[in-house]
Amino acid sequence: MAKLNDILSPFTAWKHVVREPVTIKDPLNREAADRYRGFHKNDISECIGCGTCESICQNAAIDLVPVEGVDTKDGDSGLRPRVDYGRCCWCGLCVDVCTTNSLSLSNEYTWVDEDPDSFRFVPGAENKSWDNREKGYKKPGNGYELYNPKREAMEELEPEKRDQSFIEIVQGYSKEQAEQEADRCVECGICVATCPAHMGIPEYIKAIRNDDLNEGLRVLYDTNPLPEICGRICTHKCETVCSVGHHGDPLSIRWLKRYIADQNPAEEYKKILNTENLQPTGKKVAIIGSGPSGLSAAHYLALMGYQCTIYEKLPAAGGMMRFGIPEYRLPYEQLDKDINYILSLGVEIKYNVTIGKDITLEELHNQYDAVFSGTGLHMGRSTRVPGTDHPKVYQAVDLLRDIVLGKEVPVEENIVVIGGGNVAMDITRSLARLQKQKYGKVGVLATSLESEDIMPADREEVIEAREENAVIDPGWGPVEIETEGDKLKGLHVVKCVSVFDENRRFAPKFDEEQKKFFPADMVVESIGQGMDLSYLPEAFKEQLDMDQRGRILVNDDFQTSAGWLFAGGDIIQGPDVIHGIANGHKAAMGIDKYLSEK
Amino acid sequence: MQTIIENLQKHFQVVSYHQQRENLGFLIASKEVAVGLITHLRDYEGFAHLVLLTAVDWIEDEHFQLTYLLHHPEKKVDLGVRVMISRENPEMYSIHHLWEQARTYQRELREMFGINFPGSPDVDKPFILEGWEEIPPYRRDFDTKEYSEKTYFPRPGRETHDPAEYMKKKLYPNE
């Protein structure tokens, strides 16, 4: 017989009815731990769509997709990551590798929906309730990066050792340094669009990592036949958009390019690049000017079997690369390495020949199937302030050219340079060296309209100029050069308060109250260069399509309206070496198209 | 903690000791002395509890690192014993006779890393992978992404873009 208690005891449970349950009624309302890894958040205004999250994802859970309202532009692919939560395992590697730190994980982990496709969305672009949640998982910060944010330091000659000579300053990477630096690259390829030549940057950096420098050289020559040169003096726009640069130093792309070129011996180039046997087409192309665009055009035309002849006004090849850029930045030996390889492909250079004087453009047109002109900007512009007609006022480009030609260059004890671009820094630093040789001390000052923060020169140029004891005093507008007979006394300037108007047009404004006087025995103007198109006969010029500012108009193939005449380099786009190279390459393909259809 | 280590060094060869926190330290012992040392820690030093047994694949150095994490309930301190075993012949003496639960850890390590513990009960029985015959998935040379792509088919409608190619199409389509 059952005891009474046995019958009643189930009912004793009823006494718990009013107690607070120890279990949780609705688990969906329980918040996860503070650093729980839940659904992604992405600050899409910070994100640049570099795709490293996609590359690292071990489950292939991330796609990069275009997002409305996000434009593709320099440094931003316009793509954003879309996560497929059917595959995500919440490991957080995508967060750890994110170059902009835009991606993070919220601690939200519960979400119910009947439609499986809703578990595939673009965090940050499709609003979710956890978007503003602080808790979750973020990149842990310093010391936990999956790539090294610090750049391999480049060895440089100390200022005391370099300011008397024109020896190259930058020493170049060792194998170990180059591989360390290359290892920082996340291979996103964001830089490729910004490089005017669209070089295969991630591919050649990868070749360094794989220690396959022959392959690296092949990648370089696909788009750039002057790698020794660009590896030294390129304006490296690519580095300004490097994704690693968002939270660290950008990759040293320029020095890595130089490393590849330096390590490949010149005598093996033809074998490595497979250019020992080129098939001639029997067609001939004349090229005016042996600067970067002319050399680049000649190189790619030679590969396609065209017989190229370059007409050069000066006694050596290279254009501005030889006659504008000082040797301490670009040694002639390295310049010649690139040029000699192009010549080895059968390209001929006729030196000391001026078009319009020694041979006419018409003659070139008659003797060749096509003509490419890359004559550059070699005429210095003047500020035209009173006193600029004095014989002690010089143009930077003329002096730089004379230094290379080995001519006697005037070097006074006190020199003022007007200009804040790279050419101004080149002449300032060159004159500083010559002063040091002549007087044992430096007495050169450079001044520009632009204030320090908007000076067009590369930052390192300004820093190095100062290290070499040149004075850089930016933010002043020249008013007058004071002269007394054949003597020059100095430069009067007033404060420049702004250079551009609201439409970014050149419209300098001055504060006449703030004045300064820079005493000098010699003034060098370096405010830009103009083109000399006097080799184009007047009658021909009238037929040619040109813009209002007197520049030749070209189509996408860098072909002028004359058909047989192509043009590129600084007279069309730039001014810089890499645009010239890109123009020359495109013009070569344009010439090939033109001559194949002809 | 320091006295425990000093005591230990009288009996065993301890390769290195690293105090990570006040109540947590790690030492490295050779494969041959490890089981004896752990037994000593349990029976004479009071590390009565085996917290976990786990492994790390140091593929570059060609060895696996086993970590036996032991807890001292009275002193409230943890001591990790690390043992390096060759990757080529990944085998370790079993400790299931010291702690019954060690057999489960050892079965897991057998399956996920391919580290054998001869004599450990059921060590060859499938743990969670059910008929897995490829390389153990916790080894670093296991290609997670390749496996994932091979095994899990993408949901229809997925598409992706390479940033460099996409930028080319958008910014300079004619080149």
Side-chain angles (χ1 to χ4, degrees):
Chain A
M1 190 192 151
K3 290 180 183 161
L4 182 67
N5 202 31
D6 287 346
I7 297 160
L8 288 180
S9 63
F11 296 99
T12 59
W14 285 101
K15 74 181 182 205
H16 299 301
V17 156
V18 290
R19 274 181 58 185
E20 188 81 358
V22 283
T23 52
I24 288 154
K25 202 163 42 178
D26 180 4
L28 295 182
N29 279 335
R30 186 172 69 167
E31 196 189 327
D34 289 357
R35 297 207 305 144
Y36 195 83
R37 297 172 185 192
F39 292 108
H40 291 76
K41 299 187 296 180
N42 192 16
D43 181 349
I44 58 164
S45 60
E46 282 289 312
C47 177
I48 55 166
C50 69
T52 46
C53 49
E54 180 188 17
S55 312
I56 204 166
C57 180
Q58 296 299 295
N59 300 314
I62 298 180
D63 294 325
L64 280 175
V65 296
V67 164
E68 208 163 311
V70 179
D71 294 327
T72 303
K73 56 177 190 274
D74 267 348
D76 183 351
S77 71
L79 301 164
R80 294 296 180 262
R82 181 166 67 187
V83 186
D84 181 346
Y85 288 95
R87 298 179 73 104
C88 175
C89 75
W90 322 89
C91 68
L93 278 175
C94 51
V95 173
D96 292 343
V97 80
C98 177
T99 57
T100 58
N101 293 357
S102 66
L103 201 62
S104 61
L105 296 170
S106 71
N107 74 338
E108 180 58 272
Y109 68 110
T110 55
W111 180 23
V112 178
D113 199 295
E114 303 241 316
D115 175 14
D117 280 331
S118 64
F119 290 94
R120 188 167 60 192
F121 62 86
V122 181
E126 294 169 52
N127 294 341
K128 299 290 173 199
S129 61
W130 52 82
D131 282 349
N132 294 318
R133 204 179 273 212
E134 271 301 302
K135 289 175 183 173
Y137 177 71
K138 289 184 191 68
K139 202 173 187 171
N142 291 349
Y144 286 89
E145 292 87 358
L146 296 184
Y147 51 82
N148 188 352
K150 279 254 164 278
R151 177 182 277 209
E152 268 302 299
M154 173 58 77
E155 302 279 321
E156 286 189 4
L157 266 188
E158 294 154 32
E160 304 76 54
K161 286 189 185 152
R162 71 191 192 220
D163 63 2
Q164 294 198 57
S165 75
F166 282 76
I167 298 171
E168 185 169 30
I169 294 172
V170 174
Q171 312 278 288
Y173 278 146
S174 68
K175 179 176 190 292
E176 199 186 14
Q177 287 175 312
E179 285 175 5
Q180 290 276 353
E181 182 63 17
D183 208 31
R184 309 197 310 119
C185 175
V186 294
E187 279 185 63
C188 66
I190 289 280
C191 49
V192 178
T194 303
C195 171
H198 308 309
M199 295 192 71
I201 297 164
E203 287 80 22
Y204 70 70
I205 293 181
K206 188 178 188 167
I208 295 175
R209 267 205 308 276
N210 296 342
D211 195 22
D212 186 353
L213 300 182
N214 292 355
E215 172 61 15
L217 194 72
R218 284 189 285 272
V219 177
L220 295 183
Y221 270 84
D222 276 346
T223 45
N224 186 341
L226 302 171
E228 285 284 10
I229 296 164
C230 278
R232 286 176 167 76
I233 51 91
C234 185
T235 44
H236 56 84
K237 303 264 181 280
C238 50
E239 294 181 19
T240 63
V241 296
C242 176
S243 59
V244 173
H246 283 259
H247 288 279
D249 301 328
L251 260 283
S252 192
I253 301 172
R254 178 171 59 170
W255 301 145
L256 289 176
K257 175 161 52 233
R258 167 180 165 165
Y259 170 75
I260 296 175
D262 279 355
Q263 299 307 311
N264 281 291
E267 53 278 13
E268 285 176 27
Y269 269 36
K270 284 182 117 174
K271 206 173 105 207
I272 298 165
L273 299 169
N274 192 25
T275 52
E276 282 166 313
N277 297 303
L278 300 169
Q279 293 302 315
T281 58
K283 288 179 181 162
K284 298 192 304 180
V285 179
I287 290 163
I288 311 172
S290 63
S293 67
L295 287 169
S296 171
H299 169 263
Y300 290 106
L301 285 166
L303 292 189
M304 292 184 273
Y306 293 96
Q307 175 59 50
C308 298
T309 307
I310 302 179
Y311 289 86
E312 173 54 55
K313 190 165 151 182
L314 291 165
M320 271 298 182
M321 300 183 296
R322 184 186 301 272
F323 294 100
I325 294 169
E327 198 184 357
Y328 58 82
R329 282 175 69 197
L330 176 57
Y332 303 136
E333 197 188 323
Q334 305 304 338
L335 183 72
D336 287 331
K337 187 181 173 191
D338 282 351
I339 295 173
N340 288 339
Y341 167 68
I342 296 174
L343 296 184
S344 78
L345 302 175
V347 173
E348 190 196 350
I349 304 186
K350 290 188 190 294
Y351 296 104
N352 300 308
V353 180
T354 305
I355 308 300
K357 207 171 85 191
D358 303 313
I359 185 169
T360 65
L361 189 66
E362 194 55 30
E363 284 171 297
L364 290 185
H365 175 34
N366 293 334
Q367 290 170 25
Y368 294 88
D369 297 289
V371 178
F372 173 82
S373 175
T375 48
L377 307 174
H378 292 269
M379 287 209 310
R381 287 214 186 97
S382 173
T383 57
R384 298 213 183 108
V385 297
T388 42
D389 50 359
H390 193 272
K392 293 256 166 106
V393 178
Y394 300 89
Q395 281 296 331
V397 277
D398 298 339
L399 295 183
L400 287 167
R401 188 189 310 128
D402 287 348
I403 292 172
V404 181
L405 289 170
K407 288 190 189 169
E408 180 80 24
V409 177
V411 181
E412 301 287 351
E413 257 187 282
N414 289 301
I415 306 172
V416 165
V417 174
I418 307 173
N422 279 336
V423 179
M425 292 303 113
D426 286 342
I427 191 63
T428 302
R429 299 175 65 190
S430 293
L431 288 171
R433 282 165 169 74
L434 296 174
Q435 284 179 322
K436 187 98 185 190
Q437 287 170 5
K438 192 168 169 184
Y439 303 107
K441 62 182 172 65
V442 174
V444 58
L445 175 145
T447 183
S448 61
L449 278 182
E450 297 91 352
S451 52
E452 181 104 23
D453 51 327
I454 55 163
M455 268 177 81
D458 289 343
R459 197 61 217 147
E460 63 256 32
E461 287 290 313
V462 179
I463 293 167
E464 288 171 5
R466 285 185 173 139
E467 285 174 355
E468 291 156 11
N469 294 319
V471 179
I472 315 290
D473 190 351
W476 299 96
V479 177
E480 187 189 353
I481 295 167
E482 193 183 319
T483 58
E484 200 182 277
D486 60 352
K487 278 229 157 74
L488 195 147
K489 306 296 273 184
L491 175 73
H492 291 277
V493 292
V494 289
K495 192 81 207 162
C496 177
V497 287
S498 71
V499 182
F500 301 98
D501 65 11
E502 52 279 8
N503 298 322
R504 298 290 303 151
R505 270 197 300 253
F506 183 74
K509 287 194 186 73
F510 301 100
D511 176 3
E512 308 283 344
E513 297 298 305
Q514 291 188 62
K515 292 177 191 171
K516 223 175 185 179
F517 178 68
F518 299 125
D521 323 308
M522 165 179 171
V523 168
V524 182
E525 293 184 292
S526 179
I527 58 153
Q529 291 90 245
M531 63 183 89
D532 178 4
L533 295 180
S534 59
Y535 59 92
L536 301 176
E538 278 309 317
F540 177 71
K541 241 169 148 175
E542 271 165 33
Q543 291 166 25
L544 207 60
D545 285 353
M546 295 175 102
D547 69 8
Q548 288 135 336
R549 291 161 66 195
R551 284 191 306 195
I552 303 169
L553 291 172
V554 290
N555 63 16
D556 286 347
D557 292 331
F558 289 83
Q559 186 177 28
T560 68
S561 59
W564 54 271
L565 180 66
F566 291 73
D570 287 355
I571 57 170
I572 302 295
Q573 201 181 16
D576 64 11
V577 171
I578 191 70
H579 272 101
I581 289 168
N583 292 179
H585 189 181
K586 283 176 210 158
M589 293 190 290
I591 290 169
D592 180 53
K593 196 164 93 182
Y594 167 71
L595 294 180
S596 309
E597 287 166 1
K598 204 173 155 184
Chain B
M1 199 70 132
Q2 209 53 49
T3 41
I4 298 170
I5 300 304
E6 277 163 23
N7 266 342
L8 211 57
Q9 275 164 338
K10 286 178 196 154
H11 304 282
F12 300 94
Q13 208 193 346
V14 174
V15 183
S16 82
Y17 177 71
H18 162 68
Q19 182 93 28
Q20 186 145 323
R21 289 199 302 263
E22 204 187 321
N23 59 353
L24 175 68
F26 289 94
L27 60 83
I28 300 178
S30 74
K31 177 178 167 179
E32 299 307 325
V33 307
V35 175
L37 184 143
I38 291 165
T39 311
H40 176 88
L41 285 169
R42 187 188 74 153
D43 296 345
Y44 294 98
E45 297 293 348
F47 284 90
H49 175 51
L50 172 68
V51 182
L52 57 83
L53 166 56
T54 187
V56 180
D57 181 358
W58 295 110
I59 192 165
E60 294 86 356
D61 304 332
E62 295 169 8
H63 59 234
F64 290 114
Q65 169 195 309
L66 289 170
T67 302
Y68 299 83
L69 193 63
L70 310 178
H71 180 66
H72 195 304
E74 279 123 47
K75 293 187 173 152
K76 306 265 185 274
V77 291
D78 288 315
L79 181 60
V81 178
R82 287 174 176 157
V83 183
M84 306 300 173
I85 57 172
S86 91
R87 227 173 159 273
E88 207 178 316
N89 178 30
E91 210 173 86
M92 182 58 193
Y93 306 108
S94 173
I95 56 157
H96 69 278
H97 58 285
L98 299 177
W99 288 281
E100 180 60 23
Q101 75 270 29
R103 60 149 81 183
T104 312
Y105 286 116
Q106 292 174 166
R107 231 174 106 192
E108 184 195 26
L109 291 173
R110 171 85 177 116
E111 185 164 276
M112 303 307 269
F113 283 93
I115 300 170
N116 197 14
F117 296 86
S120 185
D122 296 336
V123 74
D124 287 324
K125 244 168 99 178
F127 183 63
I128 52 167
L129 294 180
E130 298 178 357
W132 183 263
E133 280 175 4
E134 291 172 50
I135 68 165
Y138 277 4
R139 287 196 177 186
R140 294 255 310 282
D141 43 358
F142 173 76
D143 191 331
T144 313
K145 191 163 189 185
E146 187 195 307
Y147 172 79
S148 179
E149 276 164 357
K150 207 169 64 191
T151 316
Y152 307 111
F153 296 98
R155 276 188 69 76
R158 273 189 64 167
E159 54 152 4
T160 189
H161 303 80
D162 175 67
E165 284 301 314
Y166 183 78
M167 290 173 90
K168 180 177 181 187
K169 208 169 75 195
K170 282 272 174 187
L171 299 175
Y172 47 104
N174 300 327
E175 290 170 30

